[in-house]
């Protein structure tokens, strides 16, 4: 494998590689990482694609060669020998012990770290090699700031501790409390914080966004009132200054981005003989969890059980069926109904349709899940007219 591909492997993917090397199945990986089975399948398939291999055995071989105890010893020995010839001899004792444990069937445990921001904020940090333990200060307002030569991650994953506040977490990562709220849909105040909750925290002030079909660097930057050049040049986005690298479904960080109040045209219920007459139906049966309005201006949330069948609200063509299970909308489907109308169905567990498929109103398109930013199973449903968000209740019977 090319070195630049290896350097793009995230900490989460390294953990997945370790579990694959141990012979764990997808359900076992899901249980070990505390994610859904769909999420485990996604991470394994993404890892296979990133490594450019097709077999799990090749992933195991890569892990042993590049990440396992023997690889760690090799790197540490090289660094020590380059710096201190005597230190190389003295410093070899601990790595050799790790190899001995690994070869003997055991596994060396890493001593627990203190409850600093970096203790739980490394799940998606991109690094070039397995980092050695570095002493951290007990209190640091810039725990998310990388050291010289370290790759900046797309975002950090922070586990809320007892007594945490939004201001306190924001200070640790050198961002504002709004950046915590804007990037975590389930959090609006300190009252929403609970121990064990995982937050997505940007490494620099900005917004983590999922690229939608038709998006461009300038349209994304405009959506969050940011400079498109900052988005294009931010290293963790992987665009390398080329806007043509942008792909639907990928995650990007918009440096300097902020949530801008949407200017949605007030929709009026269409009259007889209009689009309603040609058939709109509810995508699921369930009560309204969040209605469309100033505090929830993109669509409505429908409370329903995990695994509930989601159907197309109206006939049309599937223009998107993908997403990232960790973030934003999660797995979601977009259907183009013509006449400038489209609907979006988010936080799905799995898909029943593929890109380009034609669906009639009532056809199954997926199942309710908890992918993306959601604290509970529900369906997020949007109606857009010429790209402008509408109140779905103005169209549903």
């Amino acid at each position: 494998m090319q070195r630049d591909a290896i350097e793009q492997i995230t900490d989460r993917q390294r953990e997945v590689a370790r579990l694959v090397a141990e012979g764990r199945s997808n359900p076992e990986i899901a249980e070990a990482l505390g994610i859904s089975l769909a999420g485990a399948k996604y991470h394994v398939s993404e890892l296979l694609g990133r490594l450019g291999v097709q077999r799990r055995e090749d992933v195991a071989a890569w892990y042993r060669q590049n990440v396992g105890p023997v690889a760690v010893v090799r790197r540490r020995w090289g660094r020590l020998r380059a710096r201190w010839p005597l230190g190389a001899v003295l410093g070899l004792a601990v790595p050799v012990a790790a190899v001995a444990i690994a070869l003997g069937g055991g596994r060396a445990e890493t001593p627990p770290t203190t409850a600093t921001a970096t203790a739980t904020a490394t799940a998606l940090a991109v690094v070039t090699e397995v980092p050695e333990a570095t002493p951290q200060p007990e209190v640091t307002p810039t725990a998310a700031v990388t050291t010289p030569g370290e790759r900046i991650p797309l975002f950090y994953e922070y586990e809320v501790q007892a007594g945490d506040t939004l201001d306190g977490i924001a200070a640790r990562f050198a961002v504002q409390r709004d950046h915590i709220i804007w990037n975590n849909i389930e959090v609006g105040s300190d009252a929403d914080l609970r121990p064990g909750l995982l937050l997505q925290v940007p490494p620099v002030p900005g917004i983590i966004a999922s690229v939608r079909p038709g998006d461009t660097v300038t349209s994304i930057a405009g959506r969050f009132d940011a400079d498109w050049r900052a988005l294009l040049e931010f290293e963790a986005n992987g665009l390398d200054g080329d806007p043509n690298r942008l792909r639907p479904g990928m995650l990007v960080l918009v440096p300097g981005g902020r949530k801008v109040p949407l200017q949605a045209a007030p929709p009026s219920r269409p009259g007889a003989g209009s689009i309603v007459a040609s058939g709109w139906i509810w995508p699921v049966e369930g009560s309204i969890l969040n209605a469309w309005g100033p505090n929830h201006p993109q669509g409505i949330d429908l409370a329903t059980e995990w695994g509930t069948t989601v159907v197309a609200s109206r006939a049309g063509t599937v223009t998107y069926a993908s997403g990232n299970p960790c973030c934003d909308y999660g797995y979601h489907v977009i259907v183009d109904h013509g006449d400038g109308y489209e609907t979006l169905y988010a936080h799905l567990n799995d898909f029943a349709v593929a890109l380009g498929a034609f669906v009639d109103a009532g056809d199954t398109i997926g199942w309710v899940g908890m992918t993306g930013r959601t604290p509970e199973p529900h369906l997020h449903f949007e109606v857009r007219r010429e790209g402008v968000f509408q109140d779905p209740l103005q169209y549903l019977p």
Side-chain angles (χ1 to χ4, degrees), residues 22-33:
E22 291 177 359
R24 305 283 190 95
S25 63
N26 284 341
E28 290 172 329
I29 292 175
E31 181 179 0
L33 298 180

Side-chain angles (χ1 to χ4, degrees), residues 280 314-320 333-345 357-359 384:
W280 286 83
R314 187 169 175 258
T317 302
V318 176
T319 57
Y320 187 80
V333 170
I334 298 176
V335 179
D336 183 355
H337 306 291
D339 299 324
Y341 286 87
E342 64 179 9
T343 51
L344 178 144
Y345 314 76
F358 179 82
V359 293
R384 303 172 187 168

Side-chain angles (χ1 to χ4, degrees), residues 60 114 152 195 201 242 253 340 373 388:
T114 57
I152 299 177
V201 185
D242 183 358
L253 177 68
R373 301 175 192 163
V388 178

